[in-house]
Amino acid sequence: MEYREISEGYSVSGQIQPEDVAAIKVAGFKSVICNRPDDEQPGQPSADTLKAAVEGAGLAFRYIPVISGQITAENVEDQAEALDELDGPVFAYCRSGARCTNLYGLIQQSRG
């Protein structure tokens, strides 16, 4: 599993698997955000499956599904609220990491 640091408290990656959660915890992350809708691709683990693994490891989890290419103002608000509320550093994932990165950029723009 590879991830990219976007800021000191926020990193992104593509789809993770339940077995990746231990490495996420060891890397020092405190919270995980899933920006990938369930059933986007056959065989991807559900948000509930990952939530169970993440919370089982003692980390916080948020599910903020974003349709690829269709980020809404509500998505940006929900992500900003999650980043304000969750302990960091935060690990966010989607299919490739692009939606998570774009959400972060939009949050930064809105906060000027």
Side-chain angles (χ1 to χ4, degrees), residues 49-107:
T49 297
L50 284 158
K51 178 180 181 180
V54 167
E55 290 181 347
L59 306 176
F61 183 87
R62 286 283 173 89
Y63 180 50
I64 305 170
V66 177
I67 296 170
S68 183
Q70 299 180 41
I71 294 176
T72 66
E74 184 179 357
N75 295 150
V76 176
E77 290 168 18
D78 290 347
Q79 190 89 349
E81 183 178 292
L83 292 176
D84 288 343
E85 293 174 357
L86 293 169
D87 288 337
V90 173
F91 182 101
Y93 74 91
C94 56
R95 188 190 63 76
S96 69
R99 278 171 268 185
C100 307
T101 302
N102 292 338
L103 280 167
Y104 190 81
L106 291 166
I107 292 165

Side-chain angles (χ1 to χ4, degrees), residues 32-56:
V32 175
I33 298 175
C34 171
N35 290 132
R36 189 170 192 196
D38 281 344
D39 302 319
E40 190 174 65
Q41 185 176 343
Q44 83 185 54
S46 70
D48 284 344
T49 297
L50 284 158
K51 178 180 181 180
V54 167
E55 290 181 347

